[in-house]
Structure formats: structure tokens, C-alpha cells
Amino acid sequence: MHIVVCVKAVPGSTEVKMDPKTHTIVRDGGAAVVNPFDATALELALRLRDARDAAGEPSRVSVLSMGIPATEALLRDCMARGADEALLLSDRAFAGADTLATTYALTCGIARLAKGAGEPALVLCGKMAVDGDTAQIGPELAGALGAACATDVREILACDEKAVLVRAAVDGGMAELELPLPAVLTVAKEAAQLRMPSIAGVRAAAAAPVPVATAQAVGADTARIGLAGSPTQVVRSFVPEQRSRAVPVVGAPAEQAARLVQIIAEVS
């Protein structure tokens, strides 16, 4: 079984810079980390791979990311923790992508990985990215791949060659969902904690190749990637001005109530 995990490099601090022209986050690689939700998705994929290997059913975990060249270090860290291979999509043509353009680029990357390891039965990603919070990539990937989808997954209960059984959050609580393969799962951050890398894993990851593919290398249509392929455009981004406009309300309860009604009427 081939399992693909999509990961994203996100700022490792709250000091985020915005490009004044494109209104997108400046990703210079400084203090970047793997999106915490994606790290959990990787752990669930590794657990599933380990369980299938123990049962004599070999599986493979591939990690895929779209980002700047510095993202390679994060992918090597994923390999040090157990991923079998990694692919980085890195090209200035990918820059400024919204979720639709990002999804298309990732499908091109998945197709590239499928040439070597076979079509993925499962694609896992975090429920959302901490720098965007859209939670759109997983469902959009499922739509683009024609695969079943479960969101906010907390646990993979069982998986065979035909279906996967998961426990996921749904409206009103939790539910067990069985999905036919291929399927896309988005994972909640609290589902698991990513394992630590071993010394052997670090050494193997340092020596392993991490292919870096351009848009042309994966056969991407340049009209569907980056800013050109993004129908969602940020017109303006700014830090809101903080002002204190507290108004003291004093007097007896009846006087305070009357004053509050007056204040509400004035700002309505």
C-alpha cells in the first residue's frame, strides 16, 4: 500500500511578514517548522505502515510538500522519523498559490510519486495549516483525485486493500466512518504526537535523495499554478489599529441600564 502525506512548512513564530505587493506571507525559510496538523498526519501514516509491515503486508509512506528550497530540511526530518521517501515541489511559478492552485500542484506531485511507488491508496494531510486555517486542501484533493474523504480524523481503526475505518469528529460528536479506497483523510492535531527521530533515521535521511521538482518537471499547467492560477486574491492586508474607547457607566442600576441603552443606540 502506498500512503502519501502532504506537509506544509509554516512560520515557527508569530512574527509573520507580508509581501506588500502580493499580500502573501513571505516564506524565507527562517524558523520554519512542519505544520503541527501535518506532523500528526505523518504519525498516523507511519503507524499504519508499521502495522501493515508487521502483518506481512509491505507499505510505503511518501511525504510531499510545495515550498521554497529550504523546505528540503523539513522533509529530511520527516524521513528521519520514518518516511520512506520525499518529494519537494519548488519553483517560483508555484509562489502565491491559493488553495485551488496548491491542490492542483499537489495532484501533479502525487502523480509523480505514483510513477515510482504506485497510485496511493491513502492521502493524509493535516486538518488545516496554522498559518491559513482554511481547512480546504484535504477536501479539494479528494475532489481532484475522485477519492472518498473524511475530515477531522482522530484515529485510524482498521485498513485493508479495499477500505479504511476511521474515528472522526462530526456534527454532534464522534463517528466511525468506513471509506472505500482510495481515500483522503484530514487529521486533527490531537490525534497523535509525532515520534522522535532515531540516530539511524537521521543518518539515513541525511544520505537519502530528496528530489526537487519544478512545475515543468511534474507537467503542471502554468495557468493553473501560483498567482496566475489562483482565483482567490487578497486585495488588502493590514494590522488593525487598536484603540481604547471604554466608556464608564456609573450610577444606580436603573441609571446604568438607561445609559447602556443610550450608548447602544449611538453606535448602532
Side-chain angles (χ1 to χ4, degrees), residues 89-175:
L89 305 178
S90 188
D91 190 322
R92 294 188 68 86
F94 291 128
D98 68 358
T99 58
L100 185 64
T102 298
T103 296
Y104 171 69
L106 291 175
T107 61
C108 293
I110 290 171
R112 170 72 173 266
L113 288 168
K115 292 180 179 179
E119 293 292 335
L122 280 173
V123 176
L124 274 64
C125 54
K127 182 178 71 173
M128 64 184 187
V130 295
D131 63 346
D133 292 358
T134 66
Q136 294 175 356
I137 294 295
E140 287 185 1
L141 270 175
L145 297 172
C149 182
T151 59
D152 208 357
V153 170
R154 307 303 173 89
E155 185 179 2
I156 297 178
L157 300 172
C159 185
D160 58 26
E161 298 298 328
K162 295 183 178 180
V164 59
L165 179 65
V166 303
R167 186 172 68 89
V170 297
D171 290 343
M174 304 295 295

Side-chain angles (χ1 to χ4, degrees), residues 57-92:
E57 302 168 343
S59 297
R60 187 172 185 83
V61 173
S62 302
V63 180
L64 172 65
S65 186
M66 183 183 80
I68 62 175
T71 307
E72 178 184 339
L74 299 181
L75 294 181
R76 288 193 184 278
D77 181 70
C78 292
M79 295 175 69
R81 297 171 192 265
D84 297 293
E85 65 176 340
L87 173 64
L88 173 60
L89 305 178
S90 188
D91 190 322
R92 294 188 68 86

